[in-house]
Amino acid sequence: MAILDLFSTGKHKQEIGHFANIVKIAKVDGIITDSEKELLIRVGKNLNITLDEFAIILNNPEKFPTNAPASYDDRIERLYRLAKMILVDGEAKLTEVELMKKIAVRLHFSHENAEKVCDEAIHLVLNDNSLEDFTKAIKKVHNS
């Protein structure tokens, strides 16, 4: 049985893929800090990730594909969570930002705008913008 067979389909499958992307960002520099662990636990609970799923994803996040939601606002919210993980330790490392850009493209942000959208996302989270303000600003940047 494949790992993905253990999980339900649809929305939960999207949440698993999203959680795996957040784990990838946390692990890209080779370590998961305490603040990254805390955020992973919070996000895992919010996404209804079980403890078994959490452990499997934490050990092998690359085995889980990005399943972009159809809703534009949901894709922006995923970008928001990715930026939160990048900045949880107070700095945006180049390796994390580069991975975020790749994930943004898989979330259906265009190649042409991915860098601009990710830079703005990081700036907005760094300045503690709400999800609502973040969404409005990303829509402006992405559609410009």
Side-chain angles (χ1 to χ4, degrees), residues 87-138:
L87 292 168
V88 74
D89 57 3
E91 65 177 307
K93 296 178 186 112
L94 182 59
T95 54
E96 295 169 331
V97 175
E98 290 300 318
L99 179 56
M100 181 185 186
K101 290 175 193 172
K102 291 176 185 175
I103 295 169
V105 170
R106 292 193 304 256
L107 288 173
H108 304 289
F109 290 93
S110 69
H111 279 283
E112 297 78 25
N113 279 348
E115 184 170 352
K116 187 168 55 167
V117 165
C118 289
D119 288 347
E120 183 67 12
I122 291 167
H123 172 76
L124 292 164
V125 169
L126 190 61
N127 288 309
D128 207 27
N129 280 266
S130 68
L131 177 57
E132 183 179 330
D133 292 339
F134 180 93
T135 300
K136 288 176 190 175
I138 292 298

Side-chain angles (χ1 to χ4, degrees), residues 12-140:
H12 191 64
K13 197 172 187 179
Q14 288 178 346
E15 290 168 341
I16 287 170
H18 178 50
F19 185 71
N21 285 332
I22 294 170
V23 170
K24 288 173 195 171
I25 286 180
K27 291 179 81 168
V28 75
D29 60 0
I31 58 165
I32 296 180
T33 65
D34 288 342
S35 56
E36 288 171 332
K37 280 181 197 170
E38 288 175 22
L39 184 56
L40 286 173
I41 291 167
R42 273 197 321 270
V43 170
K45 286 179 183 176
N46 288 339
L47 295 174
N48 299 311
I49 304 297
T50 68
L51 289 176
D52 289 339
E53 291 168 337
F54 188 98
I56 292 168
I57 296 165
L58 193 62
N59 289 323
N60 296 299
E62 62 283 341
K63 291 189 177 190
F64 300 91
T66 301
N67 295 301
S71 163
Y72 184 41
D73 285 349
D74 288 348
R75 293 192 313 265
I76 292 172
E77 184 175 348
R78 294 196 187 295
L79 192 69
Y80 179 76
R81 287 185 183 139
L82 293 170
K84 285 275 197 186
M85 178 53 77
I86 285 174
L87 292 168
V88 74
D89 57 3
E91 65 177 307
K93 296 178 186 112
L94 182 59
T95 54
E96 295 169 331
V97 175
E98 290 300 318
L99 179 56
M100 181 185 186
K101 290 175 193 172
K102 291 176 185 175
I103 295 169
V105 170
R106 292 193 304 256
L107 288 173
H108 304 289
F109 290 93
S110 69
H111 279 283
E112 297 78 25
N113 279 348
E115 184 170 352
K116 187 168 55 167
V117 165
C118 289
D119 288 347
E120 183 67 12
I122 291 167
H123 172 76
L124 292 164
V125 169
L126 190 61
N127 288 309
D128 207 27
N129 280 266
S130 68
L131 177 57
E132 183 179 330
D133 292 339
F134 180 93
T135 300
K136 288 176 190 175
I138 292 298
K139 284 180 179 180
K140 283 181 185 176

